[in-house]
Amino acid sequence: MFLIYCPHCGEHREEEEFHNHGQAHIARPLDPDSCTDEEWGNYMFFRKNPKGLHHELWVHAAGCRKFFNVTRNTATYEIKEVYKIGEQPKVVE
């Protein structure tokens, strides 16, 4: 069983309660109307997918339904830290 800590609920819950939403800390273009099709496509569809340390956006779908960030090693599944949206990671790549 894989447990994930929800920083909003304050407890560890089973992995089945959560959904991964991909890479965290993606900056939205300031003026989307002035983006080229290529720039907008890169923003919408291209994400890092490294083997190793990665900052990810997760949601506690079957619990509080709030989003938060996880720093996780994608090769070992080890979670290094969990932190709320708006906070910066302490573990860096």
Side-chain angles (χ1 to χ4, degrees):
M1 180 179 359
F2 187 54
L3 297 176
I4 298 173
Y5 179 78
C6 176
H8 300 287
C9 295
E11 57 186 76
H12 288 85
R13 304 296 297 178
E14 293 183 21
E15 176 185 14
E16 290 80 16
E17 292 189 13
F18 300 89
H19 294 289
N20 182 327
H21 281 262
Q23 183 180 342
H25 308 291
I26 297 172
R28 182 179 174 90
L30 295 175
D31 185 10
D33 292 332
S34 69
C35 288
T36 65
D37 288 344
E38 182 178 1
E39 290 169 334
W40 187 251
N42 287 338
Y43 165 72
M44 290 295 293
F45 302 110
F46 291 94
R47 302 288 185 258
K48 293 179 184 176
N49 189 19
K51 180 178 180 182
L53 203 60
H54 190 48
H55 303 291
E56 302 170 327
L57 181 65
W58 285 71
V59 64
H60 192 177
C64 65
R65 298 183 182 198
K66 293 183 180 177
F67 285 85
F68 59 94
N69 293 315
V70 172
T71 302
R72 181 174 70 93
N73 185 317
T74 59
T76 65
Y77 292 100
E78 179 185 7
I79 293 177
K80 300 289 188 177
E81 68 177 332
V82 175
Y83 54 101
K84 293 180 180 178
I85 300 293
E87 296 177 354
Q88 291 300 310
K90 294 182 177 105
V91 177
V92 292
E93 300 173 82

